[in-house]
Amino acid sequence: MRTPWIVGVLLAGALLLGACGDPSSGPEGPPPSPAVPGASAATTHQRAPVSPGPPDVGPTVLYLGDSLATEAQNVLGQQLRSDLNATYTSAPFSGTTLCDYLEGTGARSLVPDADKAAALVRARHPDYVVMQFWGNAWGFTWCMDGITYNGSQQRYLTRYQADLRRLTAQIADAGGARRPRIVWVLQGPDPMTPDRVRRVNQMYEQQAAASGDLVADAGATVSPAGARYTWQQYLPCTAYERAHPGYCTQPGQDRTALHLDTDYLHFCLVPTTSAARPCPVRSPGILRTTREITRVIGEHVRGR
C-alpha cells in the first residue's frame, strides 16, 4: 500500500485537472435498472423496490461537483434518463469545492460565471440540483483562501459550513417560486483524513434537514457492510454486479474493485488524464453511487 503522502501527490494532480462539460462520449452504458434499484449497494444497503417504470413526466436534473462528478456524469445521465425519463444537464469542474460555484467569486474561482450554480438554476430551471463534492481539503482552489483541513481543521470546517449555507441560499433565490430540491451526495471513506469526510457528510445532512432538501448516501454503497467509514479497495460483488458482465471484476473471488492501486479517491478504473473526462470504462464504484442518487430522486418524484 502506498503511503498517504504519495497518494496525496497523485490525487493532487488528478484534482487539478481542467473542467469537463457533458460530452456524448463515455463508457458503455450500464443496463437499465431492475425493479430493485438498490441492488448495486452493499448487502446491508439493499433498498425497497420502487415503481418499475419511469414517470410519465420526468424531472429536470442539474449535476454539479468536482472530479468525482466529472468521472460519473455520463453514467448518472444514463441512469436518470432510463429510470426516470429525466431531462439532464451536467456541469462539473475537477478540482473545485463549494465556493467555486458561489456567485461573486469572480476570477478567484475555477468555475466561470455562466456555470455558477445560481446561474445554471436560472437558465435551466431544474427540479433537482445534485451536488457531489469530496470536500477539497488541500487548498487547490483559490476561493478557499488557503484554508486547508490539515492546516486548521476547525477553520476549514467553519468555512465549509458557511459556504454550504451560502450556496443553498443562492440556489434557492435563483429558483424563486420554483426552488429546486438540492440533493447532497454523501461521500465514501477517505483513508487519509477519515474523520473529515464524516464531518463533511454530517454538514450535508444538517443543511438538507434545515432547508428541506435531500441526501443521497452514495458513500454507503462503496463502504463495507457495517463499517461506513472504513476505506476498502475491494468489496464483495452485489447480485446486480454478478448478473451484469464487467461489474464483478474478480468473479472467482466474488469481489469487485472500486479503486485503482494508485488512486484512493476516484472510482474510474483507468488512470486520470491531463484533460478531465467522464470515465471511459465500466466502473462498479461509479455505477453504485449513481444508482443511489437516481434511487433517491426517483423516490421523491414518486412521492415516497
Side-chain angles (χ1 to χ4, degrees):
M1 178 177 292
R2 295 175 182 265
T3 58
W5 74 266
I6 293 176
V7 175
V9 171
L10 292 169
L11 293 182
L15 287 165
L16 283 170
L17 295 175
C20 188
D22 188 16
S24 58
S25 63
E28 180 184 356
S33 295
V36 184
S40 66
T43 303
T44 58
H45 302 299
Q46 298 292 328
R47 304 292 185 176
V50 298
S51 175
D56 293 335
V57 179
T60 298
V61 181
L62 172 64
Y63 185 37
L64 307 178
D66 56 18
S67 57
L68 294 175
T70 296
E71 68 178 6
Q73 61 184 313
N74 281 2
V75 178
L76 180 61
Q78 291 160 356
Q79 292 291 313
L80 289 168
R81 293 183 185 107
S82 64
D83 286 16
L84 301 179
N85 192 29
T87 300
Y88 173 76
T89 301
S90 61
F93 287 80
S94 293
T96 57
T97 193
L98 297 178
C99 58
D100 287 290
Y101 280 90
L102 286 168
E103 291 191 316
T105 50
R108 296 174 58 254
S109 170
L110 297 175
V111 176
D113 287 347
D115 291 320
K116 300 292 191 183
L120 288 173
V121 167
R122 288 189 290 267
R124 300 288 183 171
H125 307 290
D127 301 305
Y128 299 90
V129 179
V130 180
M131 308 289 283
Q132 184 167 14
F133 293 92
W134 171 78
N136 190 322
W138 293 330
F140 294 154
T141 177
W142 308 307
C143 65
M144 281 295 288
D145 300 318
I147 299 172
T148 65
Y149 184 76
N150 289 332
S152 173
Q153 294 182 10
Q154 190 54 53
R155 191 179 177 206
Y156 166 86
L157 294 168
T158 299
R159 172 62 184 275
Y160 202 86
Q161 186 170 54
D163 289 342
L164 186 60
R165 291 169 176 166
R166 287 181 61 199
L167 192 54
T168 298
Q170 287 190 2
I171 291 171
D173 290 344
R178 291 192 54 193
R179 181 205 189 279
R181 295 273 183 170
I182 301 173
V183 182
W184 294 105
V185 180
L186 305 190
Q187 296 310 307
D190 176 1
M192 290 168 286
T193 55
D195 191 56
R196 182 195 62 81
V197 168
R198 186 196 309 269
R199 297 180 72 175
V200 166
N201 282 347
Q202 288 173 347
M203 284 192 279
Y204 291 151
E205 292 178 300
Q206 291 166 358
Q207 183 59 52
S211 54
D213 290 311
L214 305 174
V215 166
D217 193 0
T221 71
V222 291
S223 303
R228 173 64 177 81
Y229 287 99
T230 300
W231 186 91
Q232 293 288 336
Q233 184 176 1
Y234 299 91
L235 285 181
C237 297
T238 65
Y240 182 92
E241 289 162 355
R242 295 185 198 103
H244 294 88
Y247 289 113
C248 189
T249 58
Q250 296 184 329
Q253 301 179 54
D254 193 33
R255 68 176 193 171
T256 196
L258 301 180
H259 305 277
L260 295 174
D261 293 342
T262 55
D263 191 336
Y264 288 3
L265 170 61
H266 299 96
F267 296 101
C268 187
L269 295 183
V270 295
T272 55
T273 61
S274 58
R277 61 179 180 173
C279 184
V281 299
R282 288 189 173 190
S283 298
I286 291 176
L287 184 63
R288 289 183 182 209
T289 57
T290 56
R291 282 165 58 82
E292 177 62 10
I293 295 168
T294 302
R295 184 196 69 80
V296 168
I297 295 175
E299 287 198 353
H300 192 262
V301 166
R302 296 181 174 104
R304 292 189 58 177

